[in-house]
Amino acid sequence: MFKPKTLGLWANTDKSNFWEILPKIMDWSNKKNIQIHVTEKIYLHKKFMFGNVPKIDSNGKISEMDFMLVLGGDGTFLSCARAVRHQNTPILGIHLGDLGFLAKVTLENIFQRLDQVAQGNFLIEKRSMVKASIKKDEKKLTLYGLNDFVVSSGESHRMLISEVFVNSNRVSEYRSDGLIISTPTGSTAYSLSSGGPIVAPDVGSLVITPISAHSLTSRPLVVSDKATIEIRFSNYNQNILFITDGQLHDTLKPKHTVLITNSNFEIGLIDFKDSDYFQTLRTKMGWGTRGDGNR
């Protein structure tokens, strides 16, 4: 049973309740003899009053942590996951609002769950990440996401024409506002709101979901996570927006080609025996509840 001795703190510093809970987390770590390291963003914030705490001043330092404690929403969790990438440091997400799909622990039970982690009473749930390789003129851009990649017509609001190939086999020419390529983790995010399926986290797959397709026959497609998805824009004449996890934005030209595959590493999420993915789904999706009009 592994009992952690160090943790890295990653947070949404714009949330006032983070600063309210921070002193309690510091007290807890002192009592449990677990050394906290904080990101530079936290350390340099005017509200941070713990000058003797070591900093995480590079992504490489994350590998020295026994786990990362992330306080914020799912967006904060996603940014941490991209920083962790292949470094095998598991992540525990504390949602500062309602229950999240990634940050599963709420402030109500934060110290109950932290005590379990300190005792080594936790599980590691593996989640796949997705990799994009973009041939961009003389350069090759490589990006990683935990949720999804999106190609979009952006501010031009024109119909995007995307030709999609899977393992070099032509699938279709999608005429839509854009395409989402999501992992099972990302299937409950933008893909879901665009009509894509919910995929359980342990199903090895990638989901191709058109955004506002201009044809009723353009449907979401689930492919193996061993597949290579290629996207071309040769019949398009405007710049294309490429978005990673809804947070990082790049601009592509129609001559650029996008190759999307599963990455060769996984992210570890700290989980607990009594956690239930489908309970989270029921709570977030409102399954099994009756609408106001049916009362």
Side-chain angles (χ1 to χ4, degrees):
M1 184 180 292
F2 175 71
K3 297 183 179 181
K5 293 298 180 185
T6 59
L7 73 84
L9 193 61
W10 187 291
N12 182 346
T13 56
D14 293 333
K15 296 284 188 180
S16 60
N17 49 359
F18 164 66
W19 297 107
E20 292 167 6
I21 197 70
L22 179 59
K24 297 177 183 178
I25 293 173
M26 291 292 184
D27 289 342
W28 172 87
S29 68
N30 288 333
K31 291 174 183 175
K32 298 295 181 181
N33 197 28
I34 296 176
Q35 176 64 64
I36 287 186
H37 297 65
V38 302
T39 62
E40 278 198 300
K41 185 177 181 181
I42 297 171
Y43 189 89
L44 297 175
H45 198 283
K46 62 183 180 181
K47 291 185 179 180
F48 189 72
M49 302 298 180
F50 305 89
N52 60 339
V53 175
K55 286 185 292 184
I56 299 173
D57 51 12
S58 69
N59 283 354
K61 284 263 189 178
I62 291 174
S63 64
E64 301 173 15
M65 302 295 105
D66 288 334
F67 74 98
M68 294 296 294
L69 179 63
V70 180
L71 288 95
D74 282 352
T76 309
F77 192 104
L78 288 167
S79 62
C80 181
R82 290 195 305 273
V84 171
R85 279 180 24 190
H86 60 277
Q87 297 180 84
N88 294 322
T89 303
I91 306 171
L92 175 62
I94 311 295
H95 212 291
L96 295 181
D98 296 327
L99 188 68
F101 281 112
L102 295 171
K104 302 176 184 178
V105 178
T106 63
L107 288 176
E108 292 177 355
N109 60 351
I110 177 174
F111 291 108
Q112 173 198 339
R113 293 307 197 188
L114 284 175
D115 284 345
Q116 287 181 255
V117 174
Q119 295 160 10
N121 183 18
F122 61 91
L123 308 171
I124 302 293
E125 179 189 6
K126 295 293 188 178
R127 296 289 184 97
S128 62
M129 292 192 76
V130 68
K131 173 184 176 182
S133 302
I134 302 172
K135 299 173 185 176
K136 199 172 183 182
D137 301 325
E138 301 301 318
K139 299 183 295 182
K140 183 180 177 182
L141 183 64
T142 302
L143 298 164
Y144 294 92
L146 179 59
N147 262 5
D148 51 41
F149 294 123
V150 174
V151 291
S152 166
S153 56
E155 295 180 0
S156 71
H157 301 296
R158 296 183 55 147
M159 178 178 66
L160 179 65
I161 304 172
S162 311
E163 195 171 14
V164 175
F165 299 79
V166 174
N167 295 333
S168 300
N169 298 307
R170 188 177 186 274
V171 176
S172 178
E173 183 179 83
Y174 287 92
R175 294 171 177 263
S176 61
D177 288 353
L179 286 179
I180 306 163
I181 313 297
S182 78
T183 62
T185 299
S187 70
T188 53
Y190 192 11
S191 175
L192 179 64
S193 67
S194 297
I198 295 175
V199 182
D202 58 351
V203 177
S205 58
L206 295 170
V207 182
I208 305 169
T209 306
I211 305 167
S212 301
H214 291 233
S215 168
L216 293 177
T217 59
S218 291
R219 312 305 302 167
L221 176 66
V222 181
V223 301
S224 166
D225 64 355
K226 297 178 177 61
T228 297
I229 300 170
E230 181 178 351
I231 307 173
R232 303 176 189 169
F233 311 99
S234 52
N235 293 325
Y236 193 66
N237 59 7
Q238 300 284 325
N239 284 344
I240 299 120
L241 195 60
F242 189 85
I243 308 167
T244 303
D245 282 344
Q247 295 177 327
L248 304 179
H249 295 69
D250 290 276
T251 301
L252 308 182
K253 296 184 182 300
K255 63 180 179 179
H256 297 154
T257 300
V258 178
L259 293 177
I260 296 176
T261 60
N262 205 24
S263 69
N264 59 358
F265 53 84
E266 295 175 309
I267 290 292
L269 277 62
I270 290 180
D271 206 356
F272 306 94
K273 288 182 180 179
D274 60 344
S275 291
D276 182 348
Y277 172 76
F278 295 102
Q279 173 62 48
T280 302
L281 270 184
R282 289 195 300 272
T283 302
K284 294 291 288 185
M285 304 293 291
W287 288 348
T289 61
R290 302 176 67 183
D292 289 342
N294 296 324
R295 288 181 179 174

